[in-house]
Amino acid sequence: MSSAAPRPFAAAPRGPLTGSARVPGDKSISHRAIMFASLAIGTSRIEGLLEGEDVLATAAAMRAMGATIARGDDGVWSVDGVGVGGLLEPEAALDMGNSGTSTRLLMGLVASHPIRATFVGDASLSKRPMGRVIAPLSDMGAEFTATGNGRLPLMVRGIAPAVPIAYTLPVASAQVKSAVLLAGLNTPGITTVIEPVATRDHSERMLAGFGADLTVTDSPAGRVIALRGEAELRPQHIVVPGDPSSAAFWLVAASVVPGSDIVIANVGMNPTRTGLIAALRLMGADIAEQDARSVGGEPVADLRVRHAPLTAITVPPELTPSMIDEYPVLFVAAAFASGTTVARGAHELRVKESDRIAAMAEALTACGVTVAEHDDGLSITGSGGAPIAGGARVASKLDHRIAMSMIVAGLHARETITIDDAAPVATSYPDFFDTLQSFTN
């Protein structure tokens, strides 16, 4: 997958945000829907799939390993799976583009099949460490040849039968958990993952929906997820809810831009994903849930967001796992609050698509915000609701969330903020600019 040409974007005030919009399908659920459907026997249908570059990379990889995947004219995707154990060896390297989720989860799938697969990615993905996935999958019997310190390009030589393991996550990571569980699907016996700190549970919910023999229990050591291998997955009809990580940008934008009043429809409200909403409410944000309902086993609601003055907080550490992807835009919210917000406990941000702590510290400082950088987060002294200075050209670092977060910052700045490259936005939110236009017409 080739990288898009750089796309600078000038972010400037456009007045209050008004109206309603839907955000794209949840990226985490979209990845898993394609993968699990590809392992079922029969035809699955997926509605609301996020059609960003990251999810399309997952679809391309599953096609390369034997699944038949097609998009209908009605926007519904059909997937004819190969069955657990039926993956074919891809003829060429699997190009993951910018998608760390695709890479880590697919490494798990390949690990317990008797095939080899080589993973490559763009410059940003090639810098991201894969060692935390390599370690447990190696314990299951897979072999890896990686570049440098466990980075891409990387080759996985899977094994069947693999060895079931009981693995305690050393860091809170839904990707590592999911990689081990996916390897366990084609492994005889019971594969167990213990997570001392709960992470997003989309894999567990969806695997159970596809018919996997999976249990989740609480213990003094944390959540224990046990999966019986050599599973037979049944095809499903999946409706993907709106991505709370995409909704996050509008939650913050409407909160900080005076006069704003918007509705974001069909947002996934899985409790392992709503940390940002909790943090913003602690800061005083006016976010109301409307028409709460369940769609495909996932809680969903429409969110009405109105401008409200924000007050600085110390972000509760227990919220971190449920908002790890939303920290960049939380930093933007903090830039407009009254007082100094302290957001720490997020070491994981150092190894995302970019070093999101350093990238946001650099970008906000360039825009006149007072920022103190810590090894695990930032302390940010806000403007008390006034516009920030802006007037800077900031680097997105090939990171979609940095680009979108700083565009939000520009909506309430005295001078235009120019993002050097907003092209990475397409990896997760292809319609971002259209939605921005609809809210600010």
Side-chain angles (χ1 to χ4, degrees), residues 23 243-253 264 276 280 326 329 408:
V23 292
D243 195 331
S245 295
S246 296
F249 303 104
W250 311 123
L251 296 178
V252 172
I264 313 166
L276 178 71
L280 290 176
E326 289 76 71
V329 79
V408 171

Side-chain angles (χ1 to χ4, degrees), residues 155 195 325 393:
M155 187 194 76
E195 51 177 9
D325 285 336
R393 184 180 180 89

Side-chain angles (χ1 to χ4, degrees), residues 4 26 29 43 86 179 198 203 237 244 310 316 348 356:
D26 186 288
I29 295 175
T43 302
S203 291
H237 179 193
L310 302 182
E348 181 76 6
R356 287 178 173 165

Side-chain angles (χ1 to χ4, degrees), residues 11 249 328-329 332 359-360 362-365 367 388 394-396 400-411 417-419:
F249 303 104
V329 79
V332 171
M360 287 303 296
E362 177 184 325
L364 290 172
T365 299
C367 294
I388 61 173
V394 300
S396 68
H400 54 131
R401 300 203 194 280
I402 302 298
M404 288 184 280
S405 296
M406 291 311 298
I407 290 170
V408 171
L411 298 179
I417 297 173
T418 301
I419 289 78

